[in-house]
Amino acid sequence: MLEKVYNPSEVDKKWSSVWAQRRSFTADADSDAPAFTIILPPPNITGSLTVGHALGTTIQDILCRWKRMKGFNVLWLPGTDHAGIATQKVVERALERKGLKRREIGRERFLEECWNWKEAYHNRIVEQLERLGASLDWTREVFTLDPGVSQAVREVFVRLYDKGLIYKGKYIVNWCPSCLTAISDEEVEFKETNGKLYYIAYPFADGSGELVVGTTRPETMLGDVAVALSPEDERAPELEGKELILPLTGRTIPVILDEAVDPSFGTGCLKVTPAHDATDFEIGNRHKLEPIVVIDKEGRMNEAAGRFAGLERYEARKSIVEALEEEGYLRKVEDYDHSVGHHDRCGTVIEPYISEQWFLHMEPLARPAIDVVEKGEVSFFPERWKNIYLSWMENIRDWCISRQLWWGHRIPVWYCNRCGEAIASVKEPEKCPKCGGGLKQDDDVLDTWFSSWLWTFSPMGWPNKTRDLEKFHPTDVLVTGGDIIFFWVARMVMASLEFMHEIPFSRVYITGIVRDAQGRKMSKSLGNSPDPIDIIERYGADAFRYTIVMLSPPGQDMIFDEKKVEVGRHFANKIWNASRFILAQDYDLDALLSTSEDVDPISSLYASVFNGIPDGEESFGWEDRWIVSRLSRVIREFDENIEGFRFDVAAKLLYEFFWHEFCDWYLELIKPELNGGGDCGLGSLITARLVLGASLAMLHPVMPFITEEIWSMLAEGDRILAEFRLPIESFTLIDDSLEADVEIFKTIVSTIRNLRQNFRIPPSVEVDTIINCGEGTGLASRIEPFSDKIRYLARVSDLKIGEGLAKPAGSAAAGLSFAELYIPLKGVVDIEVERKRLQKELAKLETDCAKIEKRLKSEDFIRKAPSHVVESEKARYAEMSDRLYRLKTILEDIS
């Protein structure tokens, strides 16, 4: 028997342990069952679970658990990411607290510290995923720096190097002065910034005047090598080739013409600083201008900056502007809002910087990856992400893959100490193949994403041919956030096509952003991102899982408020209490099982779920056949919604069916049969257990812990729900006609209950009811079989159903779409007293309505009041107007 009170903490811990001991989620590469594969986006070892992670993980878990229930051989592959920059930064900070610096202790000792950090924090992530209920195959867990993955990374690097796609060169890159490394374009986050536009005069060397140049970064002017005009500028023919004096330096620089110049921006003159701007770098190359670096790797002015050397770049900006003003070069300063690139990891403003880096030429890899999406071999949900993917791919730039870090995959290139030869190799070479000299490996490491883009196949043993690759690749669905569609999704498509010669997955589901009640993106910096583990501690994993899925429309942002988890908690308690009621029924079902096949279809369906056939002597009523029909339809709709990625619709569907149809209607309908015993009671109990079992199976992917606990009390033997196959194909007992008639029955019962409530008729008092059906409709004969249950549920004594029935004087009335319904009130309530009460309520309501109406007509109120207050008043007015109409109708009925 279930405990009286549901304790999610105990239930969650119990079943996490059972699943792990039974290895319930271990995929079988030798199974004949169809495979279904998902890879978990590997969380960073420095990170912790967020509500966004919880949403994505829960969606993946729903897919995996439901596929297992449909008979698939499911592999949900877990892994964690070494997170190069993020991990190195936190380990450096930890060392600094001990008074140590990375370069002081050396590379080998520092990497030991990083591995120690990984061991400590990796376990925290695993624990968090287990607490959430993620049904991952932990026997196949992989880390991005594991030996097998490292071999795959080296293999990929060498193959691309040998094809001429990986090259090394000195180019302008995105440099982080805080992390002291280059980063890719995709790691730059642009933020709108309130800045200044400085207008600086550049005098002509011949004293004939000046050109005024607008810039947001005056500190870089010390590295100017030219001023450019557009060829379309009317001044171009006269000024091209003239010399200018660079303020504060005395250097002369030429006026050049270039099509990259926007003549409408500022003064139409562009200062060209190839060492500190990507556009200027391209202009400099076209005009063969030598770059001058004036800002170093740490964001400080170097010796080339002259008197400003040693200043931090923003200190230098202030000093240079002051010097320009003092020396008469500053013409004006304007406020100017513009986008400034920041490192997405640490938030530091990026410095464009000329540096020697390794790059991967992307265009040859991108073309096939564009084709498979255009042909529909890889599809996106929601579909709008397809265009975003294609737009980026069609304008793809080469990928800067090297990072000036120690933690990560070290670039597999060695340089000869004698002849300078560069050797790219999967295995470490012993000596230079050209001259036999000694070798030194490249100091840099690869971008973290260089291991992640292989993630659909490297964890399965590539480049070796393995059973896992043969069985589980390509994978089926990728569930991820839109913020890494370029970092990860697009690159995985390219990598799989290049090295596996097949797509990595066929469908990509993009989750929305999780926002707080005010619509702000949840983040630790804002302090509005609750820890999911804390929420699980308070409400249980199932309540949390159900709520976030129910709140999340496909691909749209989710508004999350922890208070809403109460919905999930109430639902879990409802499931628990309804299950206790059914399990408490005193019938020995074991004694009723037989091998007979001459049974009712409901009994047969029960047998397909619970491995046993009742003896065929039980009796089933319309209530039983109705709820089984609804169950069969809901199972079909649930499956369609899960397969269509409409997880919120699926969650709400289960809620409506279980709470309202099964509990509020069916269980209330069968209580007399259960209390009376006999064949009818047995039939209802078999049906109730069948519907409960199938409902638990559908609920299990969303709420795995509570459903597993109840199933263990409901099912026979050692079967557990996580390993159960639901025979969906057997649920075919759909009766459209019966369902339509039951909807009429429910409407009648609900209408009688509402009328009783309107006139405050106590539950203990039975009422007479007249249902006047439309002539010639045949509705009376359809309603008649439900008459006993109408009397029972609506507390009706005398029930008349027919055509042409008159409304008695002093009756409460309701017009239904199919009939008129009357409740004679004489002898039930004091009509005069009731009329006075209603008239008094009506008068007060009219007064209140008039006040709100006057307020809403006030332009002053609409203009000054907060929008949420205005909307609240409008909602109140609509509600009161509806109540006003209903009161007037009631008074007319009893007049």
Side-chain angles (χ1 to χ4, degrees):
M1 190 62 191
L2 293 175
E3 295 292 332
K4 185 175 182 180
V5 177
Y6 168 50
N7 185 331
S9 178
E10 291 182 3
V11 170
D12 293 1
K13 290 175 184 175
K14 170 185 174 180
W15 288 105
S16 285
S17 176
V18 171
W19 294 330
Q21 289 171 8
R22 292 176 64 109
R23 301 179 78 173
S24 297
F25 311 128
T26 301
D28 182 1
D30 296 318
S31 169
D32 293 330
F36 179 81
T37 312
I38 289 183
I39 54 167
L40 177 77
N44 293 344
I45 57 169
T46 58
S48 59
L49 212 60
T50 66
V51 176
H53 288 128
L55 174 62
T57 302
T58 300
I59 286 172
Q60 292 171 76
D61 194 43
I62 289 171
L63 287 168
C64 290
R65 287 181 185 269
W66 185 241
K67 285 292 186 178
R68 287 191 195 97
M69 203 157 279
K70 291 174 70 174
F72 282 78
N73 178 21
V74 174
L75 170 59
W76 187 14
L77 187 67
T80 47
D81 196 293
H82 64 279
I85 293 175
T87 302
Q88 179 149 325
K89 290 287 286 184
V90 296
V91 173
E92 282 183 353
R93 284 197 291 267
L95 288 172
E96 286 170 4
R97 286 192 290 270
K98 299 177 184 177
L100 300 173
K101 290 191 177 294
R102 170 168 65 100
R103 297 196 179 277
E104 290 174 357
I105 65 173
R107 187 167 195 147
E108 187 175 342
R109 168 77 187 284
F110 180 77
L111 291 177
E112 287 179 9
E113 294 290 334
C114 290
W115 279 104
N116 291 338
W117 179 276
K118 180 262 178 185
E119 292 304 319
Y121 285 89
H122 159 268
N123 294 336
R124 180 181 66 173
I125 292 169
V126 172
E127 180 189 359
Q128 289 173 332
L129 290 167
E130 289 178 340
R131 289 290 303 276
L132 189 62
S135 58
L136 291 151
D137 183 351
W138 291 108
T139 65
R140 287 175 165 87
E141 185 192 0
V142 186
F143 179 53
T144 51
L145 288 180
D146 281 349
V149 178
S150 294
Q151 182 190 1
V153 168
R154 287 189 170 193
E155 184 75 31
V156 164
F157 183 97
V158 172
R159 289 191 191 185
L160 293 172
Y161 180 88
D162 290 344
K163 286 182 73 171
L165 294 180
I166 286 181
Y167 61 95
K168 193 174 188 180
K170 208 167 188 179
Y171 295 90
I172 193 96
V173 296
N174 304 299
W175 184 267
C176 177
S178 175
C179 298
L180 297 179
T181 183
I183 62 171
S184 67
D185 292 340
E186 290 71 39
E187 292 167 280
V188 179
E189 180 182 0
F190 286 93
K191 299 178 182 179
E192 283 299 314
T193 304
N194 300 323
K196 301 288 184 183
L197 188 58
Y198 303 89
Y199 290 86
I200 305 167
Y202 286 55
F204 287 110
D206 61 8
S208 59
E210 65 185 28
L211 281 181
V212 177
V213 176
T215 180
T216 59
R217 303 189 65 210
E219 65 275 16
T220 64
M221 66 172 291
L222 303 176
D224 288 357
V225 295
V227 169
L229 300 177
S230 168
E232 305 300 320
D233 195 310
E234 60 183 14
R235 300 169 292 179
E238 179 187 349
L239 298 181
E240 184 182 13
K242 292 196 71 171
E243 294 288 318
L244 296 166
I245 296 174
L246 182 62
L248 308 184
T249 69
R251 262 193 308 115
T252 58
I253 58 176
V255 177
I256 62 174
L257 305 183
D258 196 278
E259 291 183 356
V261 180
D262 179 2
S264 66
F265 177 76
T267 64
C269 302
L270 175 73
K271 58 187 283 301
V272 181
T273 320
H276 297 288
D277 183 273
T279 301
D280 295 1
F281 180 79
E282 298 295 337
I283 294 173
N285 282 345
R286 284 195 288 272
H287 294 269
K288 295 181 173 52
L289 300 170
E290 190 66 29
I292 299 174
V293 178
V294 294
I295 302 175
D296 68 16
K297 292 181 178 181
E298 294 183 351
R300 292 186 172 275
M301 309 306 289
N302 64 14
E303 292 179 359
R307 54 179 150 154
F308 304 101
L311 292 177
E312 190 273 332
R313 53 183 169 163
Y314 295 114
E315 293 174 352
R317 178 181 297 180
K318 182 179 178 182
S319 297
I320 288 169
V321 170
E322 289 174 354
L324 288 168
E325 189 166 23
E326 288 172 4
E327 298 182 27
Y329 294 110
L330 188 64
R331 293 294 174 259
K332 63 177 178 177
V333 180
E334 293 177 345
D335 290 333
Y336 182 68
D337 296 340
H338 60 131
S339 291
V340 176
H342 293 68
H343 188 183
D344 66 351
R345 290 290 182 190
C346 67
T348 302
V349 173
I350 291 304
E351 188 62 49
Y353 188 74
I354 288 182
S355 175
E356 191 171 42
Q357 301 289 341
W358 287 95
F359 295 86
L360 174 56
H361 185 39
M362 301 298 285
E363 195 276 333
L365 301 175
R367 189 67 256 169
I370 290 171
D371 290 342
V372 294
V373 171
E374 288 181 333
K375 292 175 182 176
E377 294 175 39
V378 175
S379 54
F380 287 84
F381 299 85
E383 194 174 4
R384 68 176 184 273
W385 287 99
K386 171 184 174 180
N387 293 332
I388 296 170
Y389 169 96
L390 290 174
S391 175
W392 183 76
M393 292 290 278
E394 287 163 357
N395 296 281
I396 198 165
R397 297 173 62 180
D398 286 357
W399 176 12
C400 177
I401 58 173
S402 51
R403 298 291 180 269
Q404 288 61 58
L405 305 170
W406 288 350
W407 175 244
H409 293 278
R410 197 164 176 181
I411 290 174
V413 173
W414 286 261
Y415 304 99
C416 178
N417 297 326
R418 185 184 300 167
C419 70
E421 179 75 2
I423 304 105
S425 174
V426 175
K427 295 182 178 179
E428 183 173 354
E430 295 180 0
K431 59 184 179 180
C432 176
K434 188 174 182 180
C435 72
L439 301 172
K440 182 181 185 301
Q441 189 174 359
D442 195 301
D443 282 330
D444 290 350
V445 301
L446 290 161
D447 180 9
T448 295
W449 297 100
F450 199 87
S451 51
S452 301
W453 78 320
L454 316 177
W455 208 238
T456 66
F457 55 91
S458 65
M460 297 186 200
W462 188 91
N464 300 317
K465 292 183 178 180
T466 66
R467 283 290 293 136
D468 273 8
L469 277 172
E470 182 182 341
K471 184 71 177 178
F472 298 112
H473 198 281
T475 68
D476 291 273
V477 180
L478 177 70
V479 178
T480 188
D483 55 337
I484 57 174
I485 191 170
F486 310 131
F487 288 116
W488 197 43
V489 180
R491 289 171 179 166
M492 279 198 290
V493 177
M494 290 185 271
S496 185
L497 290 171
E498 174 70 15
F499 300 106
M500 293 295 295
H501 311 295
E502 61 186 7
I503 57 174
F505 31 70
S506 56
R507 296 181 293 170
V508 181
Y509 179 80
I510 304 293
T511 58
I513 296 170
V514 179
R515 301 186 181 277
D516 66 14
Q518 299 176 42
R520 300 175 302 172
K521 182 178 179 180
M522 284 192 166
S523 68
K524 291 179 180 178
S525 59
L526 286 175
N528 64 344
S529 181
D531 185 338
I533 300 304
D534 291 341
I535 298 174
I536 290 171
E537 289 285 351
R538 288 190 284 272
Y539 297 92
D542 288 332
F544 178 50
R545 286 169 59 113
Y546 178 82
T547 302
I548 57 177
V549 171
M550 180 264 296
L551 290 175
S552 181
Q556 297 180 34
D557 293 353
M558 180 182 82
I559 303 297
F560 179 78
D561 183 342
E562 187 178 326
K563 295 175 184 176
K564 293 180 180 178
V565 185
E566 286 288 350
V567 173
R569 175 152 64 185
H570 291 325
F571 188 32
N573 286 331
K574 185 71 173 182
I575 295 167
W576 188 267
N577 292 332
S579 301
R580 286 190 80 250
F581 170 74
I582 293 168
L583 290 168
Q585 301 308 308
D586 188 19
Y587 285 85
D588 186 4
L589 283 177
D590 289 340
L592 298 170
L593 299 180
S594 73
T595 58
S596 169
E597 295 184 3
D598 183 21
V599 294
D600 184 280
I602 292 179
S603 295
S604 179
L605 189 55
Y606 180 93
S608 70
V609 174
F610 291 115
N611 287 346
I613 301 176
D615 64 6
E617 296 183 2
E618 60 282 342
S619 174
F620 296 96
W622 64 261
E623 311 94 315
D624 307 315
R625 302 193 187 285
W626 165 71
I627 197 65
V628 170
S629 178
R630 289 296 303 134
L631 172 67
S632 300
R633 193 183 301 276
V634 166
I635 287 177
R636 182 180 300 175
E637 292 176 2
F638 179 76
D639 183 44
E640 290 173 354
N641 281 304
I642 294 298
E643 295 294 343
F645 301 124
R646 297 181 293 272
F647 303 101
D648 62 323
V649 176
K652 291 168 187 171
L653 177 71
L654 294 182
Y655 184 98
E656 289 298 318
F657 173 73
F658 190 90
W659 192 308
H660 297 302
E661 295 190 281
F662 183 52
C663 294
D664 289 353
W665 285 103
Y666 179 71
L667 292 185
E668 289 303 313
L669 282 167
I670 67 169
K671 279 181 180 178
E673 281 71 20
L674 293 179
N675 293 334
D679 292 343
C680 288
L682 176 58
S684 293
L685 180 60
I686 288 171
T687 304
R689 290 173 64 92
L690 166 65
V691 176
L692 175 60
S695 296
L696 292 174
M698 284 189 290
L699 284 161
H700 179 73
V702 186
M703 307 173 78
F705 295 104
I706 188 173
T707 51
E708 194 74 88
E709 178 69 10
I710 298 168
W711 179 264
S712 70
M713 306 287 180
L714 185 68
E716 301 296 325
D718 190 37
R719 294 188 305 161
I720 68 171
L721 201 47
E723 301 167 13
F724 173 66
R725 182 183 179 278
L726 179 66
I728 295 173
E729 66 283 352
S730 299
F731 286 83
T732 58
L733 303 179
I734 294 177
D735 188 331
D736 293 325
S737 177
L738 177 59
E739 287 189 33
D741 287 350
V742 172
E743 285 306 307
I744 291 173
F745 157 76
K746 288 163 64 180
T747 301
I748 291 170
V749 172
S750 298
T751 302
I752 298 171
R753 287 172 170 175
N754 288 338
L755 289 173
R756 292 178 64 106
Q757 186 177 13
N758 286 343
F759 289 95
R760 301 186 180 184
I761 300 171
S764 59
V765 176
E766 292 188 338
V767 296
D768 295 342
T769 299
I770 300 165
I771 302 174
N772 179 31
C773 302
E775 293 186 10
T777 60
L779 274 170
S781 60
R782 290 171 60 187
I783 296 171
E784 188 61 43
F786 303 101
S787 56
D788 286 346
K789 294 300 183 180
I790 293 173
R791 292 187 183 94
Y792 166 62
L793 290 181
R795 301 288 292 145
V796 172
S797 52
D798 183 32
L799 175 64
K800 293 179 180 176
I801 306 169
E803 298 178 5
L805 300 179
K807 173 190 173 185
S811 292
L816 309 177
S817 61
F818 52 85
E820 293 287 331
L821 190 148
Y822 314 126
I823 297 178
L825 297 176
K826 188 176 180 180
V828 177
V829 297
D830 188 323
I831 295 177
E832 190 57 36
V833 170
E834 194 63 23
R835 183 183 293 113
K836 289 179 179 178
R837 179 185 70 79
L838 291 171
Q839 287 172 340
K840 184 178 179 182
E841 184 179 346
L842 179 65
K844 182 179 185 306
L845 200 56
E846 286 176 330
T847 301
D848 293 343
C849 261
K851 289 179 181 177
I852 297 177
E853 184 177 15
K854 182 179 179 182
R855 189 176 302 136
L856 290 173
K857 286 181 177 179
S858 167
E859 292 182 5
D860 198 45
F861 170 75
I862 298 296
R863 186 176 64 256
K864 293 182 178 180
S867 59
H868 70 276
V869 173
V870 175
E871 291 304 314
S872 176
E873 287 296 276
K874 286 180 179 179
R876 278 186 64 209
Y877 182 72
E879 184 181 335
M880 292 170 77
S881 296
D882 179 63
R883 175 65 179 157
L884 199 63
Y885 171 78
R886 286 189 286 112
L887 278 178
K888 288 178 179 178
T889 303
I890 292 169
L891 279 166
E892 287 175 7
D893 286 338
I894 62 175
S895 296

